[in-house]
mmCIF file of all heavy atoms in Angstrom:
data_model
loop_
_atom_site.group_PDB
_atom_site.id
_atom_site.type_symbol
_atom_site.label_atom_id
_atom_site.label_comp_id
_atom_site.label_asym_id
_atom_site.label_seq_id
_atom_site.Cartn_x
_atom_site.Cartn_y
_atom_site.Cartn_z
ATOM 1 N N ASP A 1058 193.668 -7.655 44.145
ATOM 2 C CA ASP A 1058 194.459 -6.440 44.406
ATOM 3 C C ASP A 1058 195.336 -6.053 43.221
ATOM 4 O O ASP A 1058 195.877 -4.954 43.195
ATOM 5 C CB ASP A 1058 195.370 -6.626 45.625
ATOM 6 C CG ASP A 1058 194.645 -6.451 46.954
ATOM 7 O OD1 ASP A 1058 193.438 -6.123 46.931
ATOM 8 O OD2 ASP A 1058 195.289 -6.658 47.998
ATOM 9 N N TYR A 1059 195.514 -6.963 42.251
ATOM 10 C CA TYR A 1059 196.525 -6.759 41.226
ATOM 11 C C TYR A 1059 195.989 -6.885 39.806
ATOM 12 O O TYR A 1059 196.653 -7.415 38.907
ATOM 13 C CB TYR A 1059 197.672 -7.747 41.445
ATOM 14 C CG TYR A 1059 198.205 -7.729 42.854
ATOM 15 C CD1 TYR A 1059 198.337 -8.903 43.592
ATOM 16 C CD2 TYR A 1059 198.535 -6.521 43.475
ATOM 17 C CE1 TYR A 1059 198.806 -8.881 44.900
ATOM 18 C CE2 TYR A 1059 198.994 -6.496 44.781
ATOM 19 C CZ TYR A 1059 199.128 -7.672 45.485
ATOM 20 O OH TYR A 1059 199.577 -7.641 46.776
ATOM 21 N N TYR A 1063 193.525 -0.120 31.552
ATOM 22 C CA TYR A 1063 194.170 1.058 30.979
ATOM 23 C C TYR A 1063 193.475 1.443 29.678
ATOM 24 O O TYR A 1063 192.982 0.578 28.952
ATOM 25 C CB TYR A 1063 195.649 0.777 30.700
ATOM 26 C CG TYR A 1063 196.394 0.328 31.926
ATOM 27 C CD1 TYR A 1063 196.422 -1.018 32.288
ATOM 28 C CD2 TYR A 1063 197.044 1.241 32.743
ATOM 29 C CE1 TYR A 1063 197.076 -1.441 33.433
ATOM 30 C CE2 TYR A 1063 197.712 0.832 33.889
ATOM 31 C CZ TYR A 1063 197.726 -0.505 34.228
ATOM 32 O OH TYR A 1063 198.368 -0.920 35.361
ATOM 33 N N GLY A 1068 198.231 9.222 20.247
ATOM 34 C CA GLY A 1068 198.786 10.539 20.518
ATOM 35 C C GLY A 1068 198.791 10.952 21.970
ATOM 36 O O GLY A 1068 199.266 12.039 22.315
ATOM 37 N N ALA A 1070 199.372 9.719 26.267
ATOM 38 C CA ALA A 1070 199.951 8.737 27.170
ATOM 39 C C ALA A 1070 198.864 7.778 27.627
ATOM 40 O O ALA A 1070 197.718 8.185 27.869
ATOM 41 C CB ALA A 1070 200.568 9.444 28.374
ATOM 42 N N PRO A 1071 199.187 6.510 27.747
ATOM 43 C CA PRO A 1071 198.216 5.560 28.313
ATOM 44 C C PRO A 1071 197.752 6.040 29.676
ATOM 45 O O PRO A 1071 198.483 6.703 30.405
ATOM 46 C CB PRO A 1071 199.013 4.253 28.408
ATOM 47 C CG PRO A 1071 200.072 4.385 27.362
ATOM 48 C CD PRO A 1071 200.444 5.837 27.362
ATOM 49 N N LEU A 1073 195.772 5.022 33.346
ATOM 50 C CA LEU A 1073 195.213 4.046 34.280
ATOM 51 C C LEU A 1073 193.793 4.444 34.610
ATOM 52 O O LEU A 1073 193.531 5.575 35.021
ATOM 53 C CB LEU A 1073 196.054 4.007 35.561
ATOM 54 C CG LEU A 1073 195.494 3.175 36.717
ATOM 55 C CD1 LEU A 1073 195.520 1.688 36.376
ATOM 56 C CD2 LEU A 1073 196.295 3.436 37.995
ATOM 57 N N TYR A 1076 192.411 0.291 39.217
ATOM 58 C CA TYR A 1076 193.414 -0.576 39.845
ATOM 59 C C TYR A 1076 192.730 -1.415 40.917
ATOM 60 O O TYR A 1076 191.609 -1.088 41.350
ATOM 61 C CB TYR A 1076 194.571 0.246 40.423
ATOM 62 C CG TYR A 1076 194.186 1.163 41.564
ATOM 63 C CD1 TYR A 1076 194.278 0.747 42.883
ATOM 64 C CD2 TYR A 1076 193.734 2.459 41.304
ATOM 65 C CE1 TYR A 1076 193.915 1.576 43.917
ATOM 66 C CE2 TYR A 1076 193.372 3.302 42.335
ATOM 67 C CZ TYR A 1076 193.465 2.860 43.647
ATOM 68 O OH TYR A 1076 193.109 3.689 44.677
ATOM 69 N N ALA A 1077 193.401 -2.479 41.301
ATOM 70 C CA ALA A 1077 192.833 -3.389 42.307
ATOM 71 C C ALA A 1077 191.402 -3.779 41.975
ATOM 72 O O ALA A 1077 190.505 -3.748 42.829
ATOM 73 C CB ALA A 1077 192.920 -2.741 43.696
ATOM 74 N N TYR A 1114 193.016 -2.067 27.756
ATOM 75 C CA TYR A 1114 193.802 -3.242 28.110
ATOM 76 C C TYR A 1114 193.620 -3.560 29.595
ATOM 77 O O TYR A 1114 193.620 -2.656 30.433
ATOM 78 C CB TYR A 1114 195.290 -2.999 27.868
ATOM 79 C CG TYR A 1114 195.685 -2.886 26.424
ATOM 80 C CD1 TYR A 1114 195.656 -1.656 25.760
ATOM 81 C CD2 TYR A 1114 196.094 -4.012 25.710
ATOM 82 C CE1 TYR A 1114 196.014 -1.554 24.424
ATOM 83 C CE2 TYR A 1114 196.453 -3.916 24.373
ATOM 84 C CZ TYR A 1114 196.410 -2.688 23.746
ATOM 85 O OH TYR A 1114 196.770 -2.597 22.419
ATOM 86 N N TYR A 1118 199.286 -7.456 37.640
ATOM 87 C CA TYR A 1118 200.613 -7.003 38.093
ATOM 88 C C TYR A 1118 200.947 -7.601 39.444
ATOM 89 O O TYR A 1118 201.692 -7.021 40.239
ATOM 90 C CB TYR A 1118 200.680 -5.480 38.110
ATOM 91 C CG TYR A 1118 199.499 -4.777 38.748
ATOM 92 C CD1 TYR A 1118 199.468 -4.498 40.105
ATOM 93 C CD2 TYR A 1118 198.413 -4.386 37.972
ATOM 94 C CE1 TYR A 1118 198.385 -3.857 40.678
ATOM 95 C CE2 TYR A 1118 197.323 -3.745 38.538
ATOM 96 C CZ TYR A 1118 197.307 -3.483 39.893
ATOM 97 O OH TYR A 1118 196.240 -2.859 40.457
ATOM 98 N N TYR A 1123 204.555 -9.380 34.612
ATOM 99 C CA TYR A 1123 203.263 -8.727 34.506
ATOM 100 C C TYR A 1123 202.771 -8.897 33.072
ATOM 101 O O TYR A 1123 203.560 -8.784 32.124
ATOM 102 C CB TYR A 1123 203.379 -7.237 34.822
ATOM 103 C CG TYR A 1123 203.982 -6.937 36.170
ATOM 104 C CD1 TYR A 1123 204.707 -5.768 36.366
ATOM 105 C CD2 TYR A 1123 203.833 -7.787 37.247
ATOM 106 C CE1 TYR A 1123 205.244 -5.456 37.599
ATOM 107 C CE2 TYR A 1123 204.380 -7.500 38.479
ATOM 108 C CZ TYR A 1123 205.085 -6.332 38.653
ATOM 109 O OH TYR A 1123 205.633 -6.028 39.878
ATOM 110 N N PHE A 1125 199.581 -8.299 29.993
ATOM 111 C CA PHE A 1125 198.438 -7.542 29.513
ATOM 112 C C PHE A 1125 197.577 -8.428 28.621
ATOM 113 O O PHE A 1125 198.085 -9.362 27.981
ATOM 114 C CB PHE A 1125 198.906 -6.341 28.680
ATOM 115 C CG PHE A 1125 199.628 -5.274 29.451
ATOM 116 C CD1 PHE A 1125 200.994 -5.363 29.681
ATOM 117 C CD2 PHE A 1125 198.951 -4.164 29.931
ATOM 118 C CE1 PHE A 1125 201.669 -4.382 30.378
ATOM 119 C CE2 PHE A 1125 199.616 -3.164 30.627
ATOM 120 C CZ PHE A 1125 200.979 -3.284 30.853
ATOM 121 N N GLY A 1126 196.312 -8.094 28.534
ATOM 122 C CA GLY A 1126 195.477 -8.694 27.517
ATOM 123 C C GLY A 1126 195.824 -8.121 26.157
ATOM 124 O O GLY A 1126 196.651 -7.205 26.042
ATOM 125 N N GLN B 1074 205.226 -1.706 23.122
ATOM 126 C CA GLN B 1074 204.118 -2.162 22.296
ATOM 127 C C GLN B 1074 204.570 -2.234 20.854
ATOM 128 O O GLN B 1074 204.744 -1.199 20.189
ATOM 129 C CB GLN B 1074 202.908 -1.231 22.422
ATOM 130 C CG GLN B 1074 201.688 -1.718 21.671
ATOM 131 C CD GLN B 1074 200.453 -0.900 21.940
ATOM 132 O OE1 GLN B 1074 200.522 0.314 22.128
ATOM 133 N NE2 GLN B 1074 199.304 -1.565 21.974
ATOM 134 N N ALA B 1079 199.972 -6.271 21.421
ATOM 135 C CA ALA B 1079 199.620 -5.909 22.791
ATOM 136 C C ALA B 1079 200.807 -5.306 23.535
ATOM 137 O O ALA B 1079 201.961 -5.400 23.107
ATOM 138 C CB ALA B 1079 199.125 -7.146 23.531
ATOM 139 N N LEU B 1080 200.502 -4.715 24.650
ATOM 140 C CA LEU B 1080 201.530 -4.190 25.537
ATOM 141 C C LEU B 1080 202.327 -5.336 26.150
ATOM 142 O O LEU B 1080 201.795 -6.411 26.433
ATOM 143 C CB LEU B 1080 200.875 -3.366 26.646
ATOM 144 C CG LEU B 1080 200.119 -2.117 26.190
ATOM 145 C CD1 LEU B 1080 199.170 -1.640 27.284
ATOM 146 C CD2 LEU B 1080 201.097 -1.019 25.814
ATOM 147 N N TRP B 1082 205.268 -6.018 29.220
ATOM 148 C CA TRP B 1082 206.088 -5.506 30.308
ATOM 149 C C TRP B 1082 207.524 -5.969 30.159
ATOM 150 O O TRP B 1082 207.783 -7.131 29.820
ATOM 151 C CB TRP B 1082 205.523 -6.000 31.642
ATOM 152 C CG TRP B 1082 206.365 -5.620 32.812
ATOM 153 C CD1 TRP B 1082 206.426 -4.396 33.419
ATOM 154 C CD2 TRP B 1082 207.295 -6.448 33.501
ATOM 155 N NE1 TRP B 1082 207.345 -4.426 34.446
ATOM 156 C CE2 TRP B 1082 207.889 -5.675 34.513
ATOM 157 C CE3 TRP B 1082 207.690 -7.784 33.356
ATOM 158 C CZ2 TRP B 1082 208.844 -6.171 35.381
ATOM 159 C CZ3 TRP B 1082 208.646 -8.287 34.222
ATOM 160 C CH2 TRP B 1082 209.212 -7.485 35.224
ATOM 161 N N ARG B 1085 211.524 -3.471 35.716
ATOM 162 C CA ARG B 1085 211.105 -2.596 36.806
ATOM 163 C C ARG B 1085 212.266 -2.372 37.750
ATOM 164 O O ARG B 1085 213.053 -3.290 37.997
ATOM 165 C CB ARG B 1085 209.956 -3.256 37.570
ATOM 166 C CG ARG B 1085 209.281 -2.410 38.624
ATOM 167 C CD ARG B 1085 208.280 -3.250 39.403
ATOM 168 N NE ARG B 1085 208.801 -3.638 40.707
ATOM 169 C CZ ARG B 1085 208.413 -4.726 41.369
ATOM 170 N NH1 ARG B 1085 207.535 -5.561 40.837
ATOM 171 N NH2 ARG B 1085 208.920 -4.982 42.566
ATOM 172 N N TYR B 1129 207.458 2.645 26.507
ATOM 173 C CA TYR B 1129 206.918 3.533 27.534
ATOM 174 C C TYR B 1129 207.660 3.339 28.859
ATOM 175 O O TYR B 1129 207.949 2.196 29.243
ATOM 176 C CB TYR B 1129 205.454 3.221 27.813
ATOM 177 C CG TYR B 1129 204.505 3.388 26.665
ATOM 178 C CD1 TYR B 1129 204.116 2.308 25.895
ATOM 179 C CD2 TYR B 1129 203.957 4.634 26.367
ATOM 180 C CE1 TYR B 1129 203.220 2.451 24.850
ATOM 181 C CE2 TYR B 1129 203.050 4.792 25.322
ATOM 182 C CZ TYR B 1129 202.697 3.691 24.574
ATOM 183 O OH TYR B 1129 201.797 3.846 23.540
ATOM 184 N N SER B 1143 203.314 -4.013 48.303
ATOM 185 C CA SER B 1143 202.616 -4.684 47.209
ATOM 186 C C SER B 1143 202.250 -3.666 46.137
ATOM 187 O O SER B 1143 201.926 -2.518 46.447
ATOM 188 C CB SER B 1143 201.354 -5.382 47.735
ATOM 189 O OG SER B 1143 200.431 -4.430 48.223
ATOM 190 N N PRO B 1144 202.254 -4.073 44.873
ATOM 191 C CA PRO B 1144 202.032 -3.138 43.758
ATOM 192 C C PRO B 1144 200.559 -2.803 43.576
ATOM 193 O O PRO B 1144 200.042 -2.804 42.465
ATOM 194 C CB PRO B 1144 202.601 -3.895 42.570
ATOM 195 C CG PRO B 1144 202.374 -5.326 42.900
ATOM 196 C CD PRO B 1144 202.572 -5.443 44.384
ATOM 197 N N TYR B 1145 199.906 -2.486 44.636
ATOM 198 C CA TYR B 1145 198.457 -2.341 44.694
ATOM 199 C C TYR B 1145 197.916 -1.315 43.702
ATOM 200 O O TYR B 1145 196.865 -1.513 43.109
ATOM 201 C CB TYR B 1145 198.073 -1.956 46.119
ATOM 202 C CG TYR B 1145 196.600 -1.784 46.392
ATOM 203 C CD1 TYR B 1145 195.776 -2.889 46.556
ATOM 204 C CD2 TYR B 1145 196.043 -0.518 46.516
ATOM 205 C CE1 TYR B 1145 194.421 -2.733 46.829
ATOM 206 C CE2 TYR B 1145 194.696 -0.350 46.783
ATOM 207 C CZ TYR B 1145 193.899 -1.468 46.946
ATOM 208 O OH TYR B 1145 192.572 -1.298 47.215
ATOM 209 N N TYR B 1146 198.640 -0.216 43.509
ATOM 210 C CA TYR B 1146 198.113 0.901 42.715
ATOM 211 C C TYR B 1146 198.380 0.771 41.215
ATOM 212 O O TYR B 1146 198.030 1.648 40.439
ATOM 213 C CB TYR B 1146 198.688 2.214 43.238
ATOM 214 C CG TYR B 1146 198.328 2.491 44.676
ATOM 215 C CD1 TYR B 1146 199.272 2.348 45.691
ATOM 216 C CD2 TYR B 1146 197.043 2.869 45.037
ATOM 217 C CE1 TYR B 1146 198.941 2.583 47.018
ATOM 218 C CE2 TYR B 1146 196.709 3.109 46.359
ATOM 219 C CZ TYR B 1146 197.660 2.960 47.335
ATOM 220 O OH TYR B 1146 197.333 3.192 48.648
ATOM 221 N N VAL B 1148 200.156 0.538 37.438
ATOM 222 C CA VAL B 1148 201.010 1.441 36.679
ATOM 223 C C VAL B 1148 200.239 2.744 36.562
ATOM 224 O O VAL B 1148 199.406 2.903 35.663
ATOM 225 C CB VAL B 1148 201.352 0.841 35.304
ATOM 226 C CG1 VAL B 1148 202.337 1.739 34.571
ATOM 227 C CG2 VAL B 1148 201.910 -0.563 35.449
ATOM 228 N N TRP B 1151 201.982 7.225 33.120
ATOM 229 C CA TRP B 1151 202.774 6.783 31.978
ATOM 230 C C TRP B 1151 203.363 7.983 31.241
ATOM 231 O O TRP B 1151 202.785 9.069 31.244
ATOM 232 C CB TRP B 1151 201.890 6.028 30.984
ATOM 233 C CG TRP B 1151 201.258 4.766 31.465
ATOM 234 C CD1 TRP B 1151 200.409 4.614 32.535
ATOM 235 C CD2 TRP B 1151 201.376 3.477 30.862
ATOM 236 N NE1 TRP B 1151 200.007 3.306 32.630
ATOM 237 C CE2 TRP B 1151 200.578 2.592 31.615
ATOM 238 C CE3 TRP B 1151 202.060 2.982 29.745
ATOM 239 C CZ2 TRP B 1151 200.467 1.229 31.303
ATOM 240 C CZ3 TRP B 1151 201.950 1.637 29.435
ATOM 241 C CH2 TRP B 1151 201.157 0.774 30.214
ATOM 242 N N GLY B 1152 204.491 7.741 30.596
ATOM 243 C CA GLY B 1152 204.996 8.703 29.644
ATOM 244 C C GLY B 1152 204.260 8.558 28.319
ATOM 245 O O GLY B 1152 203.457 7.642 28.132
ATOM 246 N N GLN B 1153 204.567 9.461 27.405
ATOM 247 C CA GLN B 1153 203.917 9.447 26.090
ATOM 248 C C GLN B 1153 204.439 8.320 25.205
ATOM 249 O O GLN B 1153 203.786 7.940 24.231
ATOM 250 C CB GLN B 1153 204.169 10.781 25.375
ATOM 251 C CG GLN B 1153 203.469 11.959 25.993
ATOM 252 C CD GLN B 1153 202.161 12.269 25.287
ATOM 253 O OE1 GLN B 1153 201.671 11.505 24.470
ATOM 254 N NE2 GLN B 1153 201.567 13.407 25.622
#
Side-chain angles (χ1 to χ4, degrees):
Chain A
D1058 280 357
Y1059 308 128
Y1063 303 87
L1073 172 68
Y1076 65 92
Y1114 291 88
Y1118 46 89
Y1123 304 150
F1125 292 86
Chain B
Q1074 185 172 35
L1080 297 162
W1082 175 78
R1085 188 187 103 206
Y1129 298 97
S1143 65
Y1145 181 77
Y1146 299 106
V1148 185
W1151 297 59
Q1153 291 263 11

